[in-house]
Amino acid sequence: MTHTVEITIPASLIGATAATEWLHRSAKQFCVPTDQCTRLDMCLDEAIANILMHSQPNGTPIELRLNIEGTANTGSACITLSSKGLPFNPIEVAITPVATSLQDAEPGGLGLLLIHSFSDELSYSYQNNKNQLSFCVRWADLNPAREPNGNPD
Amino acid sequence: MSITHTDLDHNLRHIKLGGRLDIPGTDAISVQFTALAATSPMRVVVDLREVSFISSIGIRAIIMNAKALQQRGGKMALLLGNEPAIVKALEITGVGALIPICKKLEDAANATS
């Protein structure tokens, strides 16, 4: 089964809240496992934060598309964010090494680290004057049904 | 997002955060969080046990307040629950190397001494 849901939000705090609610509502509707929804949630928050801080004037539309394939046992879910603006590929930005002391700690750089860590797949393209960032998570049943003798099939 | 605090003694403050430390949640509490972490008690325990989600914005707020506290001669410790995504986010971003992370309030309070 494949499901696609879309929403357009403003690049703002209100938009970020709406995006989170949309993700959780959609994930529940299409049986995305809770832990996988959390991974998507993390990536989505970081991607929107990136747009708010670096590329879009407040209120500019951000188009979100969620594609879900499979079942609650095995499947994948991908979110694509599209927004107008100058080309900016966050995937190419070098990830700053994490600080090892508070004295050396500086703001910034942690969001990309989290997107890379919480997603299974990350891609970027620039089309029709729009930055398009996609991230996916995949899941598989790690405890498949067992035969009556207790041995996995 | 919620933020409350209790002064456990004249020099130890327990700040409890609850809800989502995402973009809107962190924005909602950032001024009060900084004010509570920057005033007189020099030992601060930030309780994340009721936080359901944390992204880089929230982590950054914690780190910057801990850094400001340290620059004034104080110290912060974190009190963490068992939420897997929060534990993972803090591990990935190396927060444990910057700020003591504890499971019990008593241990967190001792870590600020």
Side-chain angles (χ1 to χ4, degrees):
Chain A
M1 294 285 288
T2 300
H3 304 282
T4 300
V5 285
E6 297 177 329
I7 190 174
T8 299
I9 61 163
S12 66
L13 294 175
I14 291 173
T17 299
T20 300
E21 291 172 352
W22 166 80
L23 170 61
H24 283 267
R25 190 170 58 245
S26 303
K28 186 176 181 181
Q29 180 180 356
F30 298 113
C31 301
V32 175
T34 303
D35 55 340
Q36 305 305 321
C37 180
T38 299
R39 296 173 68 199
L40 290 169
D41 196 356
M42 178 68 75
C43 296
L44 181 58
D45 194 79
E46 298 301 344
I48 291 174
N50 195 53
I51 291 172
L52 290 180
M53 287 190 290
H54 299 300
S55 60
Q56 290 293 347
N58 199 26
T60 299
I62 305 172
E63 299 163 8
L64 305 178
R65 186 175 68 248
L66 170 63
N67 287 313
I68 302 165
E69 293 185 5
T71 67
N73 292 329
T74 304
S76 65
C78 300
I79 292 179
T80 300
L81 295 89
S82 302
S83 59
K84 284 188 176 178
L86 297 174
F88 174 68
N89 183 354
I91 299 173
E92 287 184 343
V93 176
I95 294 178
T96 310
V98 295
T100 54
S101 72
L102 268 181
Q103 192 175 353
D104 296 332
E106 295 293 339
L110 300 179
L112 283 174
L113 188 59
L114 289 173
I115 288 184
H116 280 277
S117 298
F118 276 79
S119 64
D120 291 318
E121 187 180 323
L122 195 55
S123 63
Y124 167 84
S125 66
Y126 188 75
Q127 296 174 344
N128 302 321
N129 299 319
K130 288 182 178 178
N131 289 291
Q132 295 192 329
L133 180 68
S134 297
F135 45 84
C136 300
V137 299
R138 290 186 284 271
W139 60 92
D141 188 356
L142 298 179
N143 297 297
R146 291 173 176 270
E147 291 295 297
N149 65 4
N151 295 322
D153 187 14
Chain B
M1 195 65 213
S2 64
I3 180 168
T4 59
H5 79 282
T6 305
D7 287 338
L8 301 177
D9 65 36
H10 71 284
N11 203 30
L12 176 60
R13 176 163 289 171
H14 180 198
I15 300 175
K16 295 180 79 170
L17 303 179
R20 289 176 59 91
L21 271 176
D22 56 2
I23 310 166
T26 302
D27 182 75
I29 57 101
S30 63
V31 172
Q32 191 177 357
F33 185 26
T34 299
L36 287 172
T39 47
S40 58
M42 299 299 280
R43 299 164 56 205
V44 175
V45 173
V46 177
D47 191 337
L48 301 176
R49 291 177 295 182
E50 298 299 321
V51 171
S52 59
F53 177 91
I54 190 166
S55 63
S56 66
I57 297 280
I59 293 171
R60 185 164 64 178
I62 291 169
I63 291 174
M64 289 301 104
N65 280 321
K67 182 174 182 176
L69 186 61
Q70 180 178 272
Q71 288 170 340
R72 294 189 300 109
K75 191 167 182 183
M76 179 186 288
L78 300 179
L79 191 51
L80 188 61
N82 296 315
E83 178 60 41
I86 295 178
V87 172
K88 180 179 177 180
L90 296 180
E91 283 178 0
I92 289 167
T93 52
V95 172
L98 312 179
I99 308 168
I101 297 176
C102 305
K103 293 283 188 182
K104 295 180 180 177
L105 177 58
E106 183 181 1
D107 294 338
N110 288 336
T112 63
S113 298

